[in-house]
Amino acid sequence: MSKPYEVAVQEASKPHEVFVQAVKPLSVLATDGTVVNPDEMPKLTDEQMKEIMRRMVFTRTWDQRAVNLTRQGRLGFYAPVSGQEATMVGSEFALNKDDFICPGYRDMPQIVWHGLPMYQAFLYSRGHQHGGQIPADVHVLMPQIIIGAQILHAMGVAMAFKKKGEKRVAITYTGDGGSSEGDFYEGLNFAGAFKLPAIFVVQNNGYAITTPFSKQTAAESVAHKAVAAGIKGVQVDGMDVLAIVKAVQDAAERGRNGEGATLIEAITYRFLPHSMSGDDPSKYRTKEETAEWEQKDPLHRFREFLTKKGLWSEAEEAAVAEDAKNTVAEQIKKAEETEKMTVPGLIDSMFETTPPHLEEQKADYLA
């Protein structure tokens, strides 16, 4: 029997009709931090829960500093994440370090927490070639700027894991807008056909830049799109970090056990603009809507839960925020001190051994 947050096909009134039940987002915590669904509580120690909170507070502070750095001209393209910390931090925390992340442009927190040095994330934002030179022991790809292209990357990585017989999963992220792209449907269909260990997370923050979700699709939800691909579809409260951890833990277990891919729709909200490149959310979102979502702030919800358990304090949170500020300052300085890009250096960085035709181009440039 399916659970309320799982998409399931039920018997229809006519043999040629398909009836799919409505879903209700999985939640573990209420907005005041009380447990409302104890049966779905993920398996986490007290120390692990504290670490999740630390990462969420760190990420919120880092995001605030990155917005300021962008305004100062010290970063290039930047997509804010405040409001989406539960989905980002929780999903990465539920993985193993040898699992692979295929991110979109907003998914810097996941790949940094997975091991990418922060200064390289800043270099990526600045358009520097070294921002894409991922350390060999960090299992992530560069953030993909093409909407939805990372879906295909994850599908390919998951196929490699299956062929090699490795108990690993590939996870990828996109927004609700990305779920309208052709790459999204191709990736899900391929993953379903070959029963791949892939997790597709759609961070449904309500708007594809400025277009509300209701105008993007006639589907009842993104999660329902899993039915056509023949994979598992679930909808999760993306402002509830414990619900996210539970959903991704379950999806990863299914993938490792050979049970195929999972589509997770996380219902969340970005508090800031779509990006710092000219978007003005006040033109398409009301103050009342934003205020309503701020009451569901993932940091507030988890803070209340941990405080009631005696696991968190204002002093601890202040210390984490200060650590984040200092770390961001150190890492942006390191990025700014990285050698400047040159055309010859760019050419040399493309291959282990530069092929003759590129050596010719380099020589022509230097002439």
Side-chain angles (χ1 to χ4, degrees), residues 58-69:
F58 190 105
T59 300
R60 174 69 61 88
T61 306
W62 160 21
D63 187 56
Q64 293 167 344
R65 305 300 283 185
V67 167
N68 290 335
L69 289 170

Side-chain angles (χ1 to χ4, degrees), residues 70 76-78 275-279:
T70 305
F77 177 83
Y78 183 73
S275 76
M276 298 307 296
S277 301
D279 176 44

Side-chain angles (χ1 to χ4, degrees), residues 64 100 147 155 218 270 314:
Q64 293 167 344
F100 219 98
I147 308 298
M155 171 267 291
R270 55 173 171 82
E314 291 184 5

Side-chain angles (χ1 to χ4, degrees), residues 19-34:
F19 173 72
V20 184
Q21 70 176 31
V23 291
K24 182 179 180 180
L26 166 65
S27 290
V28 175
L29 299 177
T31 55
D32 65 356
T34 57

Side-chain angles (χ1 to χ4, degrees), residues 333-348:
K333 182 180 179 182
K334 186 172 182 178
E336 291 173 334
E337 291 176 347
T338 300
E339 61 180 342
K340 303 299 181 184
M341 286 181 64
T342 65
V343 172
L346 178 60
I347 292 174
D348 287 338

Side-chain angles (χ1 to χ4, degrees), residues 7-85:
V7 177
V9 178
Q10 295 185 338
E11 184 176 350
S13 57
K14 297 180 180 180
H16 60 277
E17 293 179 341
V18 175
F19 173 72
V20 184
Q21 70 176 31
V23 291
K24 182 179 180 180
L26 166 65
S27 290
V28 175
L29 299 177
T31 55
D32 65 356
T34 57
V35 177
V36 295
N37 200 349
D39 291 340
E40 299 296 343
M41 179 69 73
K43 295 179 180 179
L44 296 168
T45 66
D46 287 351
E47 287 305 311
Q48 286 176 319
M49 288 192 286
K50 289 187 66 174
E51 176 60 17
I52 289 173
M53 185 62 190
R54 187 187 76 81
R55 294 185 183 189
M56 290 173 66
V57 172
F58 190 105
T59 300
R60 174 69 61 88
T61 306
W62 160 21
D63 187 56
Q64 293 167 344
R65 305 300 283 185
V67 167
N68 290 335
L69 289 170
T70 305
R71 289 169 174 161
Q72 295 167 13
R74 298 171 70 187
L75 285 180
F77 177 83
Y78 183 73
V81 304
S82 289
Q84 298 186 209
E85 295 93 346

Side-chain angles (χ1 to χ4, degrees), residues 144-276:
Q144 182 54 252
I145 199 73
I146 301 171
I147 308 298
Q150 64 272 22
I151 303 295
L152 301 182
H153 300 161
M155 171 267 291
V157 172
M159 173 62 92
F161 290 160
K162 181 168 184 175
K163 283 188 170 294
K164 292 181 177 181
E166 297 179 359
K167 298 292 186 180
R168 302 165 68 186
V169 299
I171 189 170
T172 187
Y173 303 83
T174 191
D176 42 302
S179 71
S180 297
E181 295 289 329
D183 287 353
F184 176 81
Y185 294 98
E186 292 176 23
L188 264 63
N189 185 67
F190 194 95
F194 290 93
K195 214 167 186 180
L196 300 182
I199 304 172
F200 304 100
V201 179
V202 175
Q203 300 175 89
N204 185 349
N205 59 31
Y207 295 90
I209 305 183
T210 62
T211 305
F213 182 70
S214 60
K215 293 185 177 181
Q216 293 180 59
T217 179
E220 185 172 336
S221 74
V222 172
H224 280 82
K225 297 184 180 186
V227 173
I231 66 176
K232 190 176 187 66
V234 300
Q235 190 179 76
V236 185
D237 182 345
M239 311 294 269
D240 179 354
V241 71
L242 294 182
I244 291 291
V245 170
K246 172 62 174 173
V248 177
Q249 283 179 340
D250 289 350
E253 183 178 6
R254 293 185 70 253
R256 294 189 224 287
N257 291 339
E259 298 173 32
T262 302
L263 170 61
I264 298 174
E265 178 187 15
I267 307 299
T268 184
Y269 197 80
R270 55 173 171 82
F271 294 147
L272 298 175
H274 173 266
S275 76
M276 298 307 296

